[in-house]
Amino acid sequence: MIFENFSEWNMQNILIRIIVSTVIGTIIGFDRGMKHRGAGTKTITVVCLGATLVMLTEQYIQFNFPGLANMTRMAAQVISGVGFLGVGTIIVSNHQVKGLTTAATLWASACVGLSIGIGFLEGGVLITLMMLISLHVSPHLEKFLTRNSRYFTLIIDIEKVQYLREIISEIKGADIAIESLEIMKPSTKGQPTSVYLVLRTRQRMEASQIYDLMMQSEKVISMDFLS
């Protein structure tokens, strides 16, 4: 197998695993970030690095402390417990999810603590450095890439849901594809209906062009872009 040699326990393989984990997490994060999903580059990369550290720590335990299965059981309890704690940092406000990176960093930090507690200092230090680099550098890279993104996430308010068919027809007439659509019915009668849309343009367009297209329809009361 092509990756068989990287399973051996040595410093070179540890570095390779961490670097590969960072690259894979960043690639997945960029893909979601360009589509303006909730979990972007920072969140995915931090979670990927944290999971990598858990497996490195597991191998470290088996290599240096053979037969001590109870340690891995305790580590599993810590990881799952911190996962519940991280949920408390996630907030949904104005149709946007906030706090995912905080929750992921909290979980990954617990993994770092586990590795340091067992004596796997090099893994904990390297993962921490990679996490800090990802948290500070990847937002700038993601911002640069999303400038050329053809995906737009927006929410529009319309008086009646029956108007949606006409609006969809206008969107498709402008050579724009609808990736996803979600209707959020009002909680109070008489209030406008909100529609969550993810659009993909066939050709490069500016946000202002999308705004003008949507607002030229008399059926649309208001609209906002979601980041």
Side-chain angles (χ1 to χ4, degrees), residues 167-177 199-203 205 209-210 213-214 216:
I167 295 171
I168 292 175
S169 178
E170 292 176 357
I171 293 173
K172 291 183 177 180
D175 201 22
I176 300 174
L199 307 180
R200 178 174 56 84
T201 61
R202 308 289 185 183
Q203 55 188 356
M205 297 179 68
Q209 294 176 277
I210 300 293
L213 172 67
M214 300 304 300
Q216 74 180 8

PDB file of all heavy atoms in Angstrom, residues 167-177 199-203 205 209-210 213-214 216:
ATOM      1  N   ILE A 167     -40.667  34.080  -8.901  1.00  0.00           N
ATOM      2  CA  ILE A 167     -39.304  34.500  -8.562  1.00  0.00           C
ATOM      3  C   ILE A 167     -38.285  33.478  -9.052  1.00  0.00           C
ATOM      4  O   ILE A 167     -37.232  33.824  -9.599  1.00  0.00           O
ATOM      5  CB  ILE A 167     -39.180  34.702  -7.036  1.00  0.00           C
ATOM      6  CG1 ILE A 167     -40.072  35.869  -6.607  1.00  0.00           C
ATOM      7  CG2 ILE A 167     -37.731  34.961  -6.636  1.00  0.00           C
ATOM      8  CD1 ILE A 167     -40.199  36.012  -5.102  1.00  0.00           C
ATOM      9  N   ILE A 168     -38.592  32.192  -8.888  1.00  0.00           N
ATOM     10  CA  ILE A 168     -37.705  31.129  -9.367  1.00  0.00           C
ATOM     11  C   ILE A 168     -37.535  31.220 -10.876  1.00  0.00           C
ATOM     12  O   ILE A 168     -36.441  31.044 -11.417  1.00  0.00           O
ATOM     13  CB  ILE A 168     -38.256  29.748  -8.951  1.00  0.00           C
ATOM     14  CG1 ILE A 168     -38.166  29.578  -7.438  1.00  0.00           C
ATOM     15  CG2 ILE A 168     -37.496  28.629  -9.660  1.00  0.00           C
ATOM     16  CD1 ILE A 168     -38.805  28.303  -6.927  1.00  0.00           C
ATOM     17  N   SER A 169     -38.628  31.507 -11.568  1.00  0.00           N
ATOM     18  CA  SER A 169     -38.572  31.637 -13.022  1.00  0.00           C
ATOM     19  C   SER A 169     -37.661  32.790 -13.432  1.00  0.00           C
ATOM     20  O   SER A 169     -36.891  32.674 -14.405  1.00  0.00           O
ATOM     21  CB  SER A 169     -39.987  31.861 -13.565  1.00  0.00           C
ATOM     22  OG  SER A 169     -39.963  32.045 -14.963  1.00  0.00           O
ATOM     23  N   GLU A 170     -37.712  33.904 -12.694  1.00  0.00           N
ATOM     24  CA  GLU A 170     -36.855  35.050 -12.997  1.00  0.00           C
ATOM     25  C   GLU A 170     -35.387  34.723 -12.743  1.00  0.00           C
ATOM     26  O   GLU A 170     -34.505  35.147 -13.496  1.00  0.00           O
ATOM     27  CB  GLU A 170     -37.289  36.254 -12.154  1.00  0.00           C
ATOM     28  CG  GLU A 170     -38.658  36.803 -12.531  1.00  0.00           C
ATOM     29  CD  GLU A 170     -39.093  37.933 -11.619  1.00  0.00           C
ATOM     30  OE1 GLU A 170     -38.350  38.241 -10.655  1.00  0.00           O
ATOM     31  OE2 GLU A 170     -40.177  38.508 -11.862  1.00  0.00           O
ATOM     32  N   ILE A 171     -35.125  33.974 -11.675  1.00  0.00           N
ATOM     33  CA  ILE A 171     -33.749  33.586 -11.354  1.00  0.00           C
ATOM     34  C   ILE A 171     -33.169  32.697 -12.450  1.00  0.00           C
ATOM     35  O   ILE A 171     -32.054  32.917 -12.937  1.00  0.00           O
ATOM     36  CB  ILE A 171     -33.693  32.872  -9.983  1.00  0.00           C
ATOM     37  CG1 ILE A 171     -34.038  33.848  -8.866  1.00  0.00           C
ATOM     38  CG2 ILE A 171     -32.309  32.266  -9.752  1.00  0.00           C
ATOM     39  CD1 ILE A 171     -34.165  33.197  -7.500  1.00  0.00           C
ATOM     40  N   LYS A 172     -33.925  31.697 -12.852  1.00  0.00           N
ATOM     41  CA  LYS A 172     -33.448  30.789 -13.898  1.00  0.00           C
ATOM     42  C   LYS A 172     -33.333  31.504 -15.236  1.00  0.00           C
ATOM     43  O   LYS A 172     -32.459  31.173 -16.053  1.00  0.00           O
ATOM     44  CB  LYS A 172     -34.402  29.598 -14.013  1.00  0.00           C
ATOM     45  CG  LYS A 172     -34.356  28.673 -12.803  1.00  0.00           C
ATOM     46  CD  LYS A 172     -35.268  27.471 -12.985  1.00  0.00           C
ATOM     47  CE  LYS A 172     -35.157  26.518 -11.801  1.00  0.00           C
ATOM     48  NZ  LYS A 172     -36.036  25.334 -11.952  1.00  0.00           N
ATOM     49  N   GLY A 173     -34.197  32.496 -15.462  1.00  0.00           N
ATOM     50  CA  GLY A 173     -34.121  33.270 -16.691  1.00  0.00           C
ATOM     51  C   GLY A 173     -32.851  34.090 -16.792  1.00  0.00           C
ATOM     52  O   GLY A 173     -32.419  34.445 -17.894  1.00  0.00           O
ATOM     53  N   ALA A 174     -32.230  34.400 -15.634  1.00  0.00           N
ATOM     54  CA  ALA A 174     -30.964  35.140 -15.602  1.00  0.00           C
ATOM     55  C   ALA A 174     -29.764  34.205 -15.664  1.00  0.00           C
ATOM     56  O   ALA A 174     -28.639  34.621 -15.376  1.00  0.00           O
ATOM     57  CB  ALA A 174     -30.900  35.997 -14.347  1.00  0.00           C
ATOM     58  N   ASP A 175     -30.003  32.920 -16.025  1.00  0.00           N
ATOM     59  CA  ASP A 175     -28.949  31.908 -16.149  1.00  0.00           C
ATOM     60  C   ASP A 175     -28.258  31.650 -14.813  1.00  0.00           C
ATOM     61  O   ASP A 175     -27.035  31.546 -14.732  1.00  0.00           O
ATOM     62  CB  ASP A 175     -27.917  32.326 -17.199  1.00  0.00           C
ATOM     63  CG  ASP A 175     -27.120  31.144 -17.729  1.00  0.00           C
ATOM     64  OD1 ASP A 175     -27.623  30.008 -17.623  1.00  0.00           O
ATOM     65  OD2 ASP A 175     -26.004  31.344 -18.214  1.00  0.00           O
ATOM     66  N   ILE A 176     -29.074  31.562 -13.765  1.00  0.00           N
ATOM     67  CA  ILE A 176     -28.578  31.270 -12.420  1.00  0.00           C
ATOM     68  C   ILE A 176     -29.237  29.984 -11.933  1.00  0.00           C
ATOM     69  O   ILE A 176     -30.463  29.835 -12.020  1.00  0.00           O
ATOM     70  CB  ILE A 176     -28.890  32.424 -11.437  1.00  0.00           C
ATOM     71  CG1 ILE A 176     -28.227  33.724 -11.925  1.00  0.00           C
ATOM     72  CG2 ILE A 176     -28.433  32.086 -10.029  1.00  0.00           C
ATOM     73  CD1 ILE A 176     -28.605  34.940 -11.102  1.00  0.00           C
ATOM     74  N   ALA A 177     -28.423  29.065 -11.423  1.00  0.00           N
ATOM     75  CA  ALA A 177     -28.943  27.795 -10.920  1.00  0.00           C
ATOM     76  C   ALA A 177     -29.248  27.903  -9.432  1.00  0.00           C
ATOM     77  O   ALA A 177     -28.530  28.576  -8.686  1.00  0.00           O
ATOM     78  CB  ALA A 177     -27.932  26.673 -11.162  1.00  0.00           C
ATOM     79  N   LEU A 199     -27.559  30.111  -4.478  1.00  0.00           N
ATOM     80  CA  LEU A 199     -27.527  30.256  -5.926  1.00  0.00           C
ATOM     81  C   LEU A 199     -26.122  30.023  -6.476  1.00  0.00           C
ATOM     82  O   LEU A 199     -25.141  30.310  -5.800  1.00  0.00           O
ATOM     83  CB  LEU A 199     -27.994  31.671  -6.326  1.00  0.00           C
ATOM     84  CG  LEU A 199     -29.342  32.144  -5.760  1.00  0.00           C
ATOM     85  CD1 LEU A 199     -29.629  33.552  -6.246  1.00  0.00           C
ATOM     86  CD2 LEU A 199     -30.460  31.200  -6.154  1.00  0.00           C
ATOM     87  N   ARG A 200     -26.066  29.512  -7.684  1.00  0.00           N
ATOM     88  CA  ARG A 200     -24.787  29.333  -8.382  1.00  0.00           C
ATOM     89  C   ARG A 200     -24.911  29.954  -9.769  1.00  0.00           C
ATOM     90  O   ARG A 200     -25.736  29.533 -10.569  1.00  0.00           O
ATOM     91  CB  ARG A 200     -24.410  27.861  -8.496  1.00  0.00           C
ATOM     92  CG  ARG A 200     -23.098  27.623  -9.257  1.00  0.00           C
ATOM     93  CD  ARG A 200     -22.696  26.150  -9.197  1.00  0.00           C
ATOM     94  NE  ARG A 200     -23.735  25.289  -9.708  1.00  0.00           N
ATOM     95  CZ  ARG A 200     -23.928  25.002 -10.993  1.00  0.00           C
ATOM     96  NH1 ARG A 200     -23.137  25.556 -11.910  1.00  0.00           N
ATOM     97  NH2 ARG A 200     -24.898  24.180 -11.373  1.00  0.00           N
ATOM     98  N   THR A 201     -24.086  30.969 -10.029  1.00  0.00           N
ATOM     99  CA  THR A 201     -24.152  31.670 -11.307  1.00  0.00           C
ATOM    100  C   THR A 201     -23.360  30.916 -12.370  1.00  0.00           C
ATOM    101  O   THR A 201     -22.324  30.324 -12.080  1.00  0.00           O
ATOM    102  CB  THR A 201     -23.602  33.096 -11.171  1.00  0.00           C
ATOM    103  OG1 THR A 201     -22.227  33.036 -10.756  1.00  0.00           O
ATOM    104  CG2 THR A 201     -24.392  33.881 -10.139  1.00  0.00           C
ATOM    105  N   ARG A 202     -23.861  30.944 -13.580  1.00  0.00           N
ATOM    106  CA  ARG A 202     -23.169  30.289 -14.697  1.00  0.00           C
ATOM    107  C   ARG A 202     -21.917  31.072 -15.085  1.00  0.00           C
ATOM    108  O   ARG A 202     -20.908  30.502 -15.477  1.00  0.00           O
ATOM    109  CB  ARG A 202     -24.099  30.198 -15.911  1.00  0.00           C
ATOM    110  CG  ARG A 202     -25.443  29.575 -15.624  1.00  0.00           C
ATOM    111  CD  ARG A 202     -25.363  28.094 -15.371  1.00  0.00           C
ATOM    112  NE  ARG A 202     -26.696  27.529 -15.223  1.00  0.00           N
ATOM    113  CZ  ARG A 202     -26.944  26.261 -14.928  1.00  0.00           C
ATOM    114  NH1 ARG A 202     -25.934  25.431 -14.746  1.00  0.00           N
ATOM    115  NH2 ARG A 202     -28.170  25.824 -14.796  1.00  0.00           N
ATOM    116  N   GLN A 203     -21.995  32.391 -14.954  1.00  0.00           N
ATOM    117  CA  GLN A 203     -20.866  33.252 -15.227  1.00  0.00           C
ATOM    118  C   GLN A 203     -20.620  34.126 -14.009  1.00  0.00           C
ATOM    119  O   GLN A 203     -21.482  34.241 -13.142  1.00  0.00           O
ATOM    120  CB  GLN A 203     -21.139  34.122 -16.459  1.00  0.00           C
ATOM    121  CG  GLN A 203     -22.419  34.935 -16.341  1.00  0.00           C
ATOM    122  CD  GLN A 203     -22.770  35.641 -17.628  1.00  0.00           C
ATOM    123  OE1 GLN A 203     -22.027  35.579 -18.584  1.00  0.00           O
ATOM    124  NE2 GLN A 203     -23.909  36.323 -17.649  1.00  0.00           N
ATOM    125  N   MET A 205     -20.547  36.907 -11.444  1.00  0.00           N
ATOM    126  CA  MET A 205     -21.417  38.041 -11.155  1.00  0.00           C
ATOM    127  C   MET A 205     -21.050  38.646  -9.812  1.00  0.00           C
ATOM    128  O   MET A 205     -20.540  37.951  -8.928  1.00  0.00           O
ATOM    129  CB  MET A 205     -22.892  37.608 -11.147  1.00  0.00           C
ATOM    130  CG  MET A 205     -23.421  37.095 -12.472  1.00  0.00           C
ATOM    131  SD  MET A 205     -25.165  36.584 -12.386  1.00  0.00           S
ATOM    132  CE  MET A 205     -25.963  38.183 -12.123  1.00  0.00           C
ATOM    133  N   GLN A 209     -25.156  42.736  -8.476  1.00  0.00           N
ATOM    134  CA  GLN A 209     -25.985  42.299  -9.597  1.00  0.00           C
ATOM    135  C   GLN A 209     -27.081  41.350  -9.126  1.00  0.00           C
ATOM    136  O   GLN A 209     -28.220  41.413  -9.606  1.00  0.00           O
ATOM    137  CB  GLN A 209     -25.122  41.623 -10.663  1.00  0.00           C
ATOM    138  CG  GLN A 209     -24.134  42.562 -11.350  1.00  0.00           C
ATOM    139  CD  GLN A 209     -23.237  41.824 -12.329  1.00  0.00           C
ATOM    140  OE1 GLN A 209     -22.231  41.238 -11.957  1.00  0.00           O
ATOM    141  NE2 GLN A 209     -23.611  41.856 -13.598  1.00  0.00           N
ATOM    142  N   ILE A 210     -26.730  40.466  -8.204  1.00  0.00           N
ATOM    143  CA  ILE A 210     -27.724  39.560  -7.630  1.00  0.00           C
ATOM    144  C   ILE A 210     -28.781  40.356  -6.872  1.00  0.00           C
ATOM    145  O   ILE A 210     -29.986  40.088  -6.966  1.00  0.00           O
ATOM    146  CB  ILE A 210     -27.049  38.536  -6.690  1.00  0.00           C
ATOM    147  CG1 ILE A 210     -26.026  37.692  -7.457  1.00  0.00           C
ATOM    148  CG2 ILE A 210     -28.091  37.648  -6.017  1.00  0.00           C
ATOM    149  CD1 ILE A 210     -26.623  36.783  -8.490  1.00  0.00           C
ATOM    150  N   LEU A 213     -31.122  42.080  -9.270  1.00  0.00           N
ATOM    151  CA  LEU A 213     -32.009  41.114  -9.906  1.00  0.00           C
ATOM    152  C   LEU A 213     -33.174  40.743  -8.996  1.00  0.00           C
ATOM    153  O   LEU A 213     -34.326  40.691  -9.432  1.00  0.00           O
ATOM    154  CB  LEU A 213     -31.214  39.859 -10.291  1.00  0.00           C
ATOM    155  CG  LEU A 213     -32.040  38.672 -10.803  1.00  0.00           C
ATOM    156  CD1 LEU A 213     -32.681  39.010 -12.143  1.00  0.00           C
ATOM    157  CD2 LEU A 213     -31.164  37.433 -10.924  1.00  0.00           C
ATOM    158  N   MET A 214     -32.870  40.504  -7.722  1.00  0.00           N
ATOM    159  CA  MET A 214     -33.904  40.085  -6.788  1.00  0.00           C
ATOM    160  C   MET A 214     -34.861  41.228  -6.457  1.00  0.00           C
ATOM    161  O   MET A 214     -36.075  41.033  -6.371  1.00  0.00           O
ATOM    162  CB  MET A 214     -33.265  39.546  -5.507  1.00  0.00           C
ATOM    163  CG  MET A 214     -32.342  38.342  -5.711  1.00  0.00           C
ATOM    164  SD  MET A 214     -33.146  36.948  -6.543  1.00  0.00           S
ATOM    165  CE  MET A 214     -34.477  36.597  -5.406  1.00  0.00           C
ATOM    166  N   GLN A 216     -35.638  43.840  -8.218  1.00  0.00           N
ATOM    167  CA  GLN A 216     -36.432  44.384  -9.315  1.00  0.00           C
ATOM    168  C   GLN A 216     -37.793  43.704  -9.401  1.00  0.00           C
ATOM    169  O   GLN A 216     -38.711  44.208 -10.049  1.00  0.00           O
ATOM    170  CB  GLN A 216     -35.688  44.228 -10.638  1.00  0.00           C
ATOM    171  CG  GLN A 216     -35.649  42.819 -11.180  1.00  0.00           C
ATOM    172  CD  GLN A 216     -34.885  42.724 -12.496  1.00  0.00           C
ATOM    173  OE1 GLN A 216     -34.255  43.697 -12.922  1.00  0.00           O
ATOM    174  NE2 GLN A 216     -34.941  41.568 -13.127  1.00  0.00           N
TER     175      GLN A 216
END
